[in-house]
Amino acid sequence: MRDDLARRGTAGLLVQRGDQTLLEWYAEGWSAERPHYTASLAKALVGGLSLMLTLEEGRLGADDPAARYVAQWQDHPQKRAISIRHLATHSSGLEDAEHIESPDWMRRFWAREPDPFTISRDETPLLFEAGTGYEYSNPGMAMLAYGVTAALQGTAWPDIRTLLRERVFEPIGLGPETWSIGYGQTYKVDGLPLVANWGGGSFTARAIGRIGRLMLQRGTWQGRQLVDADLVRQGLAYAGTPLPSRSRDPRVPASGLCWYSNEDGVWPEVPRDAFAGAGAGHQLLVVVPSLDLVVVRQGEHLEGERSGPFWEPAYGHLLAPLLEFVK
């Protein structure tokens, strides 16, 4: 499996079971100390974790209207129906921003002109009524970061970066050289210090593995409860919102709150308690609690085609072979 993945553009591979590392391998030029970009794996590591912690603080609820934290949406006939849960599960109806030049709002979202949060709030079209469909949406995640940050005002953690560093990353032993988030930037919008939660992260494989282990242990680290266990369970489980279409990519999992869930068995060889985070180029964190298993894969697309299916190659080249070995 390692050799096959090495031929498929893998930069780093980490497989852990309990306290044992079964496999740790890096391609030439990479190492345990070198962070790798996360792409949308940041949605879980940054978006999901920051949402759990803000829920724990009682600063917002998963089913709160996002308009409670976004004043510009309060009088909008459609956007005022969008909830925090909708934003965290790609069911808000907000269109995704593709990496293309037209329409111009998509180009400016990725170019961050003037900033991606204002574009997500004011310019991103709605494709359907909130909660009635599935549209993977980076602007939707941006608005989740907006709502979470608004809810954090008045606490000791005014922004997502500070919240994660002090509440999770430092307590589990992640030094500043092992991670960065939000494209290294903080945007001031409406007085809010906003940090991207949809991409722009960089982590070592071991740092990602530690976050996976923390989630597997329901928020506990060395006897200390860092994140409420019930909120971890809720965040990792299928959130009950519309499922993605599986016509083009039959292995697309269901959504938890910024995480992916195998609760409906879309990965047939993998136990249904498995959950994951994932980003372009097959940046993967997959955790199987019933097998005490944490897997991190970093690199480029497993079949060399960014435009091709994502989850089918991830399942075929990593998950199915690994589970055959583990079982």
Side-chain angles (χ1 to χ4, degrees):
M1 183 191 74
R2 181 202 64 193
D3 293 344
D4 177 62
L5 291 173
R7 289 190 294 269
R8 296 180 178 278
T10 298
L13 183 63
L14 179 66
V15 181
Q16 298 174 320
R17 200 168 191 189
D19 295 329
Q20 184 178 9
T21 296
L22 304 183
L23 173 64
E24 185 172 17
W25 176 89
Y26 299 96
E28 184 177 356
W30 294 93
S31 69
E33 290 75 37
R34 183 180 175 185
H36 191 284
Y37 75 89
T38 62
S40 287
L41 176 53
K43 290 179 172 66
L45 304 180
V46 180
L49 269 178
S50 61
L51 177 57
M52 288 177 189
L53 293 169
T54 310
L55 290 168
E56 182 176 352
E57 288 299 308
R59 306 293 297 192
L60 84 175
D63 294 306
D64 285 355
R68 185 173 297 175
Y69 312 96
V70 185
Q72 292 83 351
W73 284 8
Q74 290 174 2
D75 295 322
H76 192 286
Q78 289 83 40
K79 290 180 179 178
R80 67 186 181 189
I82 297 173
S83 70
I84 296 296
R85 183 184 303 273
H86 293 145
L87 294 171
T89 58
H90 305 290
S91 60
S92 68
L94 288 170
E95 187 175 2
D96 192 21
E98 299 180 38
H99 290 271
I100 55 178
E101 291 298 306
S102 181
D104 190 55
W105 74 266
M106 292 187 182
R107 180 195 65 79
R108 288 185 291 108
F109 176 89
W110 293 111
R112 304 191 285 281
E113 298 174 357
D115 71 84
F117 299 96
T118 300
I119 294 165
S120 300
R121 185 192 66 200
D122 299 341
E123 299 186 49
T124 303
L126 279 170
L127 300 181
F128 51 80
E129 183 181 342
T132 65
Y134 181 99
E135 165 78 359
Y136 185 89
S137 178
N138 287 287
M141 288 297 299
M143 292 313 298
L144 177 67
Y146 192 113
V148 164
T149 304
L152 287 172
Q153 299 314 291
T155 72
W157 314 283
D159 61 81
I160 287 173
R161 186 180 288 107
T162 304
L163 176 74
L164 292 177
R165 181 180 65 244
E166 296 185 3
R167 291 286 302 275
V168 173
F169 293 170
E170 288 181 348
I172 67 173
L174 303 191
E177 74 282 358
T178 68
W179 66 276
S180 65
I181 64 172
Y183 303 97
Q185 294 182 268
T186 302
Y187 294 89
K188 272 296 184 80
V189 179
D190 292 340
L192 298 175
L194 297 172
V195 176
N197 66 350
W198 62 89
S202 184
F203 286 75
T204 65
R206 290 179 181 178
I208 295 172
R210 287 194 174 210
I211 295 171
R213 175 64 52 186
L214 176 69
M215 295 294 95
L216 185 152
Q217 296 172 166
R218 292 294 188 260
T220 301
W221 191 262
Q222 297 179 347
R224 181 182 172 192
Q225 195 74 43
L226 300 180
V227 190
D228 180 82
D230 189 55
L231 289 174
V232 172
R233 182 191 61 77
Q234 291 179 41
L236 300 175
Y238 169 49
T241 50
L243 294 170
S245 169
R246 290 164 175 165
S247 59
R248 182 171 175 268
D249 190 350
R251 304 298 181 196
V252 182
S255 283
L257 298 179
C258 305
W259 294 81
Y260 291 106
S261 168
N262 190 41
E263 196 163 316
D264 69 338
V266 72
W267 307 330
E269 296 300 319
V270 182
R272 293 197 176 198
D273 65 339
F275 58 89
H282 287 119
Q283 320 313 319
L284 293 164
L285 166 63
V286 181
V287 181
V288 188
S290 58
L291 297 177
D292 203 11
L293 186 67
V294 176
V295 185
V296 179
R297 189 270 179 186
Q298 298 172 314
E300 301 305 321
H301 194 289
L302 285 164
E303 294 185 347
E305 300 180 26
R306 286 179 66 99
S307 60
F310 181 92
W311 285 104
E312 185 75 15
Y315 180 77
H317 297 299
L318 177 63
L319 297 180
L322 179 63
L323 266 293
E324 181 179 352
F325 165 75
V326 170
K327 287 182 177 180

